[in-house]
Amino acid sequence: MFKAPRGTRDILPPEQGYWKWVTEKAAEMCRLYGYQRIDTPVFEDAGLFVHSVGEETDIVEKQMYTFEDRGGDKITLRPEGTAPVCRAYIEHGLHNLPQPVRLFYFGPIFRYERPQAGRFRQHQQFGCEAIGAADATLDAEIIDMAWNLYASLGLKNLTLQLNSIGCRTCRREYLQRLKDYYVSHEGSLCRDCRNRLSRNPLRLLDCKNPNCQDLMKGAPRITEYICADCHSHFTLLQDCLVTLQIPYEVNPYLVRGLDYYTRTVFEIQPVDVGGQSTIGGGGRYDNLIEMLDGKPTPAVGFATGLERIILNLQKQGIELPTVAGGRVYVAYLGEEARKEAVRLGARLRRAGIAATLAMDTRSLKAQLKQANALGFSHAVIIGEEELKANSVLLRDMANGSQVQLSAEEAIRRLKP
Ligand code: HAM
């Protein structure tokens, strides 16, 4: 028997209401902040991610779905959304538009991870990228959007972790200090971290191994090494967050799992579970467009996993808002009435009313029982008597009351 591949899941109808609600809220947030939708392919040239996310990151080293297609091209199912958006920005000359260009996307992301609660091999992201401005107020705008999205859904008890990892120049000295520190503790590092030490020391701060996490507590803090420009950027961002009344915690060891970040990095997490289940994260990536052969262009963005949002909504017992407008079940008795029911179903839908026809000529009682079980708000019943009188019975499923009236009148009453 076939099953969904490990780490993937089917989203069955009862959960779809959450998806609809969350994506509508996110799209509404984008409208309010002036972000426009972009869609990029689900797969890209593998090199795009190696160059942007970084060769020595877990994503590139261990998690990409990469394969050679029949034409011999090396293809990767996208493991994140920022690099493809930057690729599109360069490819379509979006630097010619007024800057910054504010974009958002929804789509599946693929990472070969060890599946666990909230961690999948295919997940859905909603992401925003603001490309073409270096201003710290843009970092604040991105964080504000993420924060307000969660708030508008009613999510509570979230923390915002914030850090600045400096720019290319000031990070150099920090990396040397970090290396010096870890070299003196090399014996206690995990195998991955011993590798990271020479190849990509910043990744040492991202290790989940408990020993390495303990060691991290004594490591030099990047916020003490950032240059004056990076420092004033970070200060202005924090001032904006205070103005926007967004509480935050500076975490000097937050580095995130992708190499393209400069200056601001942030993560939003539920208070009770910590870093393993971050629901959203992002930061500034001022060198990425240039690394992909575009003109030097500063940018900032964030992304959030829709499964993790929904998981947290359910955990926090947040119920879906009730949707206005009911659904109608068309019940009937007898062959003649069946044709009338088909006609009535079509008329209801043309009038914008959701209508479902009873199947099989079961007893009226059985049909109404099914309408009840399926949660219909109303039933329209056509029996022999109604057929003769050219009328229908409109039944309120909640209280069982019913009235006989013309089809036109029933449609008028049912209209949302
Ligand atoms: P990320 O932190 O790797 O960042 O992923 C963003 C969000 O996607 C995470 O906070 C989490 O909610 C969700 N997520 C990641 N991996 C999984 C998984 N295996 N299963 C379920 N959900 C997952 C990025 O991808 C960056 N591109 C964000 C960004 C945009 N930075 C700047 N702009």
Side-chain angles (χ1 to χ4, degrees):
M1 200 170 73
F2 292 114
K3 288 190 162 181
R6 194 163 133 75
T8 68
R9 53 196 293 274
D10 302 309
I11 302 163
L12 298 178
E15 205 186 298
Q16 292 288 348
Y18 278 102
W19 285 82
K20 184 163 180 285
W21 186 40
V22 173
T23 48
E24 281 173 1
K25 281 279 184 198
E28 171 60 6
M29 207 55 71
C30 291
R31 187 187 70 77
L32 289 174
Y33 287 77
Y35 283 64
Q36 291 186 305
R37 177 147 183 169
I38 182 168
D39 288 291
T40 63
V42 164
F43 58 84
E44 297 269 357
D45 191 306
L48 174 68
F49 300 110
V50 178
H51 286 308
S52 56
V53 174
E55 241 170 304
E56 276 107 31
T57 56
D58 279 358
I59 293 181
V60 169
E61 277 187 338
K62 304 178 187 165
Q63 298 177 346
M64 294 211 304
Y65 282 87
T66 300
F67 58 95
E68 209 172 275
D69 70 9
R70 286 166 194 270
D73 289 331
K74 210 170 169 196
I75 294 295
T76 295
L77 300 185
R78 66 173 170 213
E80 65 103 44
T82 308
V85 169
C86 291
R87 195 258 315 128
Y89 175 93
I90 300 167
E91 187 172 332
H92 302 287
L94 301 190
H95 61 273
N96 293 316
L97 299 175
Q99 305 291 298
V101 177
R102 293 177 166 90
L103 301 168
F104 76 94
Y105 51 89
F106 289 103
I109 300 289
F110 304 87
R111 295 182 188 175
Y112 190 82
E113 303 227 43
R114 191 176 313 156
Q116 49 182 282
R119 174 156 296 145
F120 306 103
R121 290 184 175 169
Q122 176 181 333
H123 71 275
Q124 286 279 337
Q125 276 189 10
F126 160 63
C128 293
E129 314 292 348
I131 305 176
D135 203 306
T137 56
L138 196 56
D139 307 36
E141 173 179 297
I142 284 281
I143 294 176
D144 188 41
M145 245 176 119
W147 192 257
N148 280 333
L149 170 62
Y150 302 134
S152 73
L153 293 165
L155 284 173
K156 291 181 202 74
N157 300 328
L158 300 180
T159 61
L160 166 61
Q161 306 263 317
L162 188 67
N163 194 19
S164 171
I165 56 168
C167 60
R168 272 197 283 224
T169 321
C170 59
R171 202 180 304 157
R172 219 170 289 143
E173 192 199 335
Y174 173 70
L175 289 182
Q176 193 50 53
R177 296 293 174 93
L178 193 65
K179 241 172 145 171
D180 294 344
Y181 168 79
Y182 276 108
V183 164
S184 62
H185 295 89
E186 196 168 349
S188 323
L189 289 174
C190 73
R191 186 140 50 98
D192 277 349
C193 277
R194 261 176 264 149
N195 260 328
R196 289 171 180 138
L197 193 52
S198 55
R199 297 168 63 194
N200 192 351
L202 204 60
R203 293 267 74 79
L204 287 156
L205 299 177
D206 202 29
C207 184
K208 303 289 177 282
N209 178 302
N211 273 343
C212 301
Q213 290 226 325
D214 266 353
L215 268 183
M216 190 183 76
K217 291 176 190 145
R221 296 161 169 236
I222 193 157
T223 31
E224 286 160 23
Y225 292 84
I226 58 177
C227 63
D229 280 353
C230 288
H231 187 266
S232 54
H233 184 96
F234 197 35
T235 309
L236 176 54
L237 168 59
Q238 293 181 63
D239 287 348
C240 292
L241 294 179
V242 172
T243 306
L244 293 165
Q245 299 186 316
I246 299 175
Y248 64 91
E249 247 172 63
V250 173
N251 172 356
Y253 299 120
L254 179 69
V255 291
R256 308 219 353 98
L258 306 101
D259 275 355
Y260 50 61
Y261 291 112
T262 50
R263 295 191 166 169
T264 311
V265 289
F266 69 93
E267 284 186 351
I268 297 174
Q269 298 161 356
V271 173
D272 47 347
V273 266
Q276 287 300 319
S277 61
T278 298
I279 67 172
R284 187 161 270 289
Y285 48 94
D286 290 342
N287 304 327
L288 179 54
I289 303 250
E290 193 184 350
M291 277 157 54
L292 298 175
D293 291 334
K295 293 186 186 147
T297 310
V300 57
F302 95 100
T304 181
L306 299 189
E307 289 84 356
R308 293 208 186 159
I309 296 184
I310 291 166
L311 216 66
N312 279 284
L313 287 171
Q314 291 169 338
K315 242 192 223 166
Q316 297 192 8
I318 297 170
E319 293 198 4
L320 287 176
T322 46
V323 187
R327 295 180 305 133
V328 180
Y329 189 81
V330 183
Y332 59 90
L333 204 61
E335 276 308 309
E336 272 306 298
R338 189 199 321 235
K339 274 185 231 147
E340 222 22 71
V342 169
R343 195 186 340 263
L344 183 60
R347 284 180 70 183
L348 285 161
R349 293 184 205 107
R350 263 201 305 276
I353 303 158
T356 302
L357 244 66
M359 288 293 120
D360 308 326
T361 36
R362 279 187 279 184
S363 73
L364 251 186
K365 199 172 160 205
Q367 292 179 34
L368 291 177
K369 202 169 154 198
Q370 188 179 44
N372 209 22
L374 292 172
F376 285 89
S377 60
H378 293 85
V380 183
I381 305 162
I382 310 174
E384 276 167 28
E385 201 178 310
E386 287 74 34
L387 212 53
K388 271 190 225 144
N390 201 14
S391 65
V392 300
L393 264 186
L394 176 62
R395 182 184 176 94
D396 183 326
M397 294 303 296
N399 59 23
S401 67
Q402 43 190 47
V403 277
Q404 190 169 353
L405 29 69
S406 67
E408 292 74 40
E409 178 58 15
I411 289 172
R412 203 187 59 73
R413 292 196 189 183
L414 288 167
K415 260 199 154 170

